[in-house]
Amino acid sequence: MTRSGVFLAVIAFLGLLTTPAAASDRHAPDLVRTDLGPIRGVVTAQFRTFQGIPYAAPPVGELRWRPPQPATPWQEPRDASRPGNVCAQAAQLGQPGSATEDCLYLNVTTPARSGKRLPVMVWIHGGGYSIGSAAAFNPSKLVSIGDVIVVTINYRVGPFGFLALPELTAENPGIQSGNYGLEDQQAALRWVRRNAAAFGGDPGNVTIFGESAGAGSVCLHLASPTAAGLFQRAVGQSFSCAYPTTTKEQAESDGVRYARGLGCQDVACLRAKPVRDLLPSWGNGWPVIGGREFPLQPMEALRQDRFHHVPVLWGNNLDEMRLFVALEFDLLGNPVTPQVYEQVVRSLHGPAADVVLRKYPVTNYPTPSIALATVRTDYGWALSTCEHVRSYSLFSAHPRPVPVYAYQFVDRTAPGLLRLPGFDEGASHGQELNYLWVNYFGTLNPQQETLSQTMVRYWTNFARSGDPNGASLPRWRRYSSPRDVLALDIPPGGIRPLNVAEASNCAFWESLRS
């Protein structure tokens, strides 16, 4: 399947502390005064929730394919009891589509009471830069166990977020087109910096975290000069900063081909098209390297020491690619056969295919589909384990190293996303989400719930101090070698150190590079 099926200021801070517009009404905990105007949310015994807060103007009409613009202020309390619109996207993976471009909203959840400034965690959802929304994620466990504030954000996806064209690039000199979704993420982070104190949060202690394309976004913000000061920690789940994103030349060439397929020779024609015409023909579309916001590939930024030196917590799942093999083959009623397995390995690895087939004989696995998923997971593409190990080393072995805490989620009993009869999803892509977000796609049994609470404490401890360790938690060693990856599992394996490079045959795969 395509990548789109798979699957971002001390003076200002001090000023906001005394600005009436950024103060919360102590006598009305459901009312918060943001810098744009007052909002009224919902208060329960455990939480305060404020949803559908605009952080930028609706990107409609002439604002389609332009950087996010300031939202219009308001005077009367705005209803913040419901999420904002889902950004325009096609229906995929069981998620309904949307035809709404007015979608630049975020949600804030805080503990009901706190007498101190709390860490702020800003979630960037995944979805291959093509689907997803903030409202899908229930942060109540992170907030209640971790005593943190969680912000979930919408950002433009699909063609509205990632279309690159020479004409669009020329509209904003110095800014590369095709990164509107990432620009939205940074606009949301600037909103957080201005307004965190109004919700009881610490604008100087912000963690960005994301999964899949959300983690890819985190990689890019780590390397983005315009993200300086917007966050102090970074968490990435199931994406490798060692994986390159799209070049300007490729993205703009793809954009021209897309426009011509719609019968358009210029941007004016595209801006006149309704949403329903723009979504069906959209294929691949990832962020684009270029311009002052994203001048370098993340790996190159690491090599050149042009990245934000903040603590990093990063990891992947044991069986990442089982989800994608299932989507490409088994879900369509065409499980991988031994012959197809060999064909795919040969197409992926060319002259090295015979060596790979000897290392990963199909007879060693329950099914050919699982064999193919194992090859793709150990050394596939953006989600591969060996690419993750390279990412950890880039951060931790740097001349000016940053603290790195690496994990692998290995609970093969985790609730499956697809639940295909006869297909064991194992610890596949996205399944750790269920352990951080309440009932993301299934309920947990008691052992899984224990693991979930441990993971929540690790993540929120890291957000608080840059170190996930805490009282009564299994020790998580700072990464210095592949032996320092923490396996996240239920008993009997439990939480333990794991040499993922050895388990995934990274030395073997590296030998094929040379």
Side-chain angles (χ1 to χ4, degrees):
M1 67 185 297
T2 64
R3 291 185 296 187
S4 63
V6 191
F7 5 76
L8 119 183
V10 174
I11 294 175
F13 165 52
L14 293 175
L16 287 173
L17 292 184
T18 57
T19 302
S24 182
D25 190 331
R26 294 181 181 179
H27 302 291
D30 64 337
L31 183 69
V32 170
R33 301 182 187 279
T34 74
D35 66 333
L36 292 172
I39 58 173
R40 193 175 297 280
V42 175
V43 177
T44 69
Q46 291 82 32
F47 311 108
R48 295 190 306 153
T49 302
F50 304 87
Q51 301 181 89
I53 307 169
Y55 67 85
V60 299
E62 285 301 308
L63 294 185
R64 180 189 280 180
W65 298 310
R66 294 190 190 276
Q69 299 299 306
T72 302
W74 60 91
Q75 298 297 321
E76 295 301 316
R78 180 187 177 101
D79 179 21
S81 63
R82 295 184 300 275
N85 301 321
V86 173
C87 287
Q89 57 192 263
Q92 292 187 48
L93 297 178
Q95 300 298 312
S98 169
T100 306
E101 292 179 82
D102 177 5
C103 66
L104 299 186
Y105 302 95
L106 54 77
N107 310 315
V108 181
T109 304
T110 84
R113 296 177 182 83
S114 180
K116 56 191 175 184
R117 286 288 169 83
L118 298 178
V120 182
M121 301 182 71
V122 181
W123 175 249
I124 305 172
H125 69 74
Y129 301 108
S130 292
I131 59 173
S133 75
F137 298 90
N138 179 344
S140 57
K141 192 179 293 186
L142 289 161
V143 173
S144 60
I145 294 176
D147 198 29
V148 298
I149 292 173
V150 175
V151 180
T152 60
I153 65 174
N154 283 348
Y155 59 92
R156 283 173 281 182
V157 294
F160 305 97
F162 298 96
L163 173 66
L165 285 170
E167 186 180 349
L168 287 172
T169 300
E171 285 185 351
N172 296 282
I175 298 176
Q176 171 61 47
S177 66
N179 291 320
Y180 306 106
L182 292 178
E183 292 171 3
D184 294 343
Q185 294 168 17
Q186 290 193 7
L189 289 170
R190 288 191 290 271
W191 183 96
V192 168
R193 184 170 61 183
R194 296 193 309 269
N195 291 284
F199 294 87
D202 182 353
N205 189 3
V206 174
T207 296
I208 56 172
F209 68 135
E211 182 265 349
S212 194
S217 300
V218 172
C219 288
L220 286 156
H221 295 312
L222 280 164
S224 171
T226 54
L230 295 181
F231 58 92
Q232 288 70 44
R233 330 228 186 272
V235 178
Q237 301 166 209
S238 296
F239 196 96
S240 168
C241 290
Y243 188 77
T245 192
T246 316
T247 64
K248 167 187 171 71
E249 293 74 21
Q250 182 63 55
E252 292 187 353
S253 173
D254 290 344
V256 168
R257 188 162 45 251
Y258 169 76
R260 288 175 178 168
L262 292 165
C264 287
Q265 301 300 316
D266 56 32
V267 171
C269 171
L270 287 170
R271 284 199 172 112
K273 293 282 185 182
V275 170
R276 66 176 179 274
D277 290 351
L278 294 170
L279 288 174
S281 59
W282 182 250
N284 295 334
W286 277 29
V288 188
I289 293 303
R292 61 174 174 262
E293 296 169 311
F294 306 100
L296 295 172
Q297 294 282 359
M299 182 187 289
E300 189 59 31
L302 287 164
R303 287 174 175 155
Q304 295 186 25
D305 195 14
R306 294 170 64 183
F307 69 99
H308 303 303
H309 287 249
V310 301
V312 169
L313 187 155
W314 216 272
N316 74 332
N317 294 356
L318 176 63
D319 303 306
E320 290 281 3
M321 298 305 292
R322 289 193 189 186
L323 172 66
F324 305 108
V325 168
L327 289 171
E328 187 176 348
F329 296 97
D330 297 69
L331 190 65
L332 302 179
N334 300 308
V336 179
T337 64
Q339 294 75 23
V340 168
Y341 172 67
E342 180 174 345
Q343 291 169 6
V344 174
V345 170
R346 291 193 180 282
S347 69
L348 289 173
H349 299 287
D354 287 334
V355 180
V356 174
L357 289 167
R358 286 195 296 271
K359 187 71 174 179
Y360 292 81
V362 69
T363 53
N364 278 15
Y365 301 92
T367 67
S369 290
I370 298 300
L372 180 59
T374 303
V375 170
R376 285 185 169 179
T377 298
D378 285 0
Y379 188 80
W381 51 285
L383 306 172
S384 67
T385 300
C386 297
E387 289 291 330
H388 273 269
V389 173
R390 293 179 67 213
S391 285
Y392 310 149
S393 299
L394 285 169
F395 284 112
S396 63
H398 195 274
R400 289 197 298 144
V402 300
V404 176
Y405 294 90
Y407 76 87
Q408 186 170 75
F409 178 80
V410 300
D411 179 13
R412 281 180 163 161
T413 74
L417 176 63
L418 301 177
R419 301 176 190 178
L420 283 172
F423 187 92
D424 181 6
E425 292 181 56
S428 190
H429 186 63
Q431 288 182 331
E432 89 289 356
L433 293 173
N434 229 16
Y435 291 64
L436 297 172
W437 306 93
V438 177
N439 296 333
Y440 182 65
F441 56 80
T443 57
L444 303 178
N445 65 34
Q447 281 191 323
Q448 294 165 345
E449 180 60 35
T450 298
L451 175 59
S452 167
Q453 295 193 24
T454 299
M455 289 173 60
V456 165
R457 291 176 63 195
Y458 279 139
W459 262 241
T460 54
N461 285 348
F462 178 80
R464 181 166 286 101
S465 67
D467 185 336
N469 290 289
S472 75
L473 290 174
R475 180 169 175 259
W476 191 337
R477 295 199 300 256
R478 180 171 164 173
Y479 184 90
S480 62
S481 78
R483 296 185 299 274
D484 297 326
V485 176
L486 193 71
L488 299 171
D489 198 3
I490 63 170
I495 296 173
R496 62 196 186 275
L498 175 68
N499 188 334
V500 294
E502 183 177 85
S504 293
N505 302 309
C506 292
F508 166 77
W509 291 110
E510 287 295 330
S511 72
L512 298 186
R513 285 178 181 269
S514 55

